[in-house]
C-alpha cells in the first residue's frame, strides 16, 4: 500500500533525524522497487536533501510537481523496462523545473550494485558498481 510505504519511510526518516550523529540532512535511496519508492518518497517529503534512485521508475508528472529535492538516477544500459521510463522522467522533471540527473552505466544490467560485487561479476556490472559508488559518495559529501 503506497500510503503505508510513505508512513513507514516518514517514521524512519523522522527517527533518523533524531540520532545524535545526524547532521540535519535527509537523503533517501532505494534499489529496484525501493528505487521507485525513493523517487515517490521525494514527492511526499519536502525536506529531503536528495533522492537517489537505483534502477527505479518515476512517479507520475502530477506527483513530480511536489518534488523539492534533486533526484539522481543510477540506471543500467541493459534494463529495457526501467530505461524506457527515463525519457519521460527527464522531460517531466525538466518541464517542472526540477533537478533530475540520470546516469546510465554502459553494459550493466538491472541490479548492478549487487551483481557487481559478486566474485564472478561481469566487468560491466563491476565497473558500474564502482562508478555508481563513487558518484553516490561524491553527491552525499556535496550535500546535494
Amino acid at each position: 500500500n503506497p500510503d503505508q510505504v510513505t508512513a513507514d519511510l516518514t517514521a524512519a526518516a523522522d527517527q533518523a533525524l533524531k540520532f545524535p550523529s545526524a547532521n540535519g540532512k535527509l537523503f533517501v535511496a532505494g534499489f529496484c522497487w525501493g528505487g521507485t519508492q525513493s523517487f515517490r518518497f521525494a514527492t511526499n517529503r519536502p525536506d529531503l536533501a536528495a533522492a537517489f534512485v537505483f534502477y527505479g521508475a518515476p512517479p507520475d508528472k502530477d506527483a513530480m510537481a511536489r518534488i523539492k529535492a534533486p533526484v539522481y538516477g543510477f540506471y543500467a544500459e541493459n534494463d529495457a523496462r526501467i530505461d524506457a521510463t527515463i525519457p519521460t522522467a527527464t522531460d517531466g522533471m525538466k518541464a517542472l523545473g526540477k533537478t533530475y540527473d540520470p546516469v546510465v552505466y554502459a553494459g550493466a544490467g538491472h541490479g548492478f550494485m549487487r551483481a557487481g560485487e559478486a566474485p564472478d561479476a561481469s566487468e560491466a556490472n563491476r565497473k558500474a558498481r564502482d562508478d555508481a559508488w563513487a558518484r553516490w559518495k561524491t553527491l552525499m559529501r556535496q550535500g546535494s
Side-chain angles (χ1 to χ4, degrees):
N1 174 316
D3 292 335
Q4 185 63 55
V5 171
T6 298
D8 291 346
L9 288 172
T10 297
D14 290 346
Q15 183 63 36
L17 289 171
K18 294 176 186 174
F19 291 157
S21 60
N23 68 3
K25 288 190 178 183
L26 181 62
F27 298 94
V28 65
F31 304 84
C32 191
W33 179 86
T36 298
Q37 298 311 309
S38 294
F39 211 148
R40 197 177 71 69
F41 190 55
T43 72
N44 294 301
R45 187 74 188 214
D47 63 335
L48 280 180
F52 301 103
V53 178
F54 289 82
Y55 20 93
D60 64 41
K61 190 173 179 182
D62 289 340
M64 282 184 202
R66 298 190 306 267
I67 295 174
K68 303 224 181 297
V71 177
Y72 299 96
F74 299 76
Y75 301 98
E77 181 180 46
N78 297 327
D79 191 2
R81 180 181 65 84
I82 293 298
D83 289 354
T85 69
I86 297 171
T88 301
T90 300
D91 293 346
M93 292 285 281
K94 184 176 180 179
L96 293 164
K98 310 292 180 178
T99 299
Y100 176 57
D101 184 14
V103 172
V104 177
Y105 295 92
H110 185 91
F112 63 82
M113 289 299 283
R114 178 75 171 113
E117 71 179 351
D120 63 345
S122 71
E123 184 55 35
N125 281 341
R126 183 175 287 116
K127 181 172 178 6
R129 181 181 188 277
D130 292 347
D131 291 352
W133 263 118
R135 177 180 180 228
W136 192 13
K137 288 188 288 188
T138 297
L139 290 167
M140 285 193 290
R141 270 191 232 106
Q142 293 171 347
S144 286

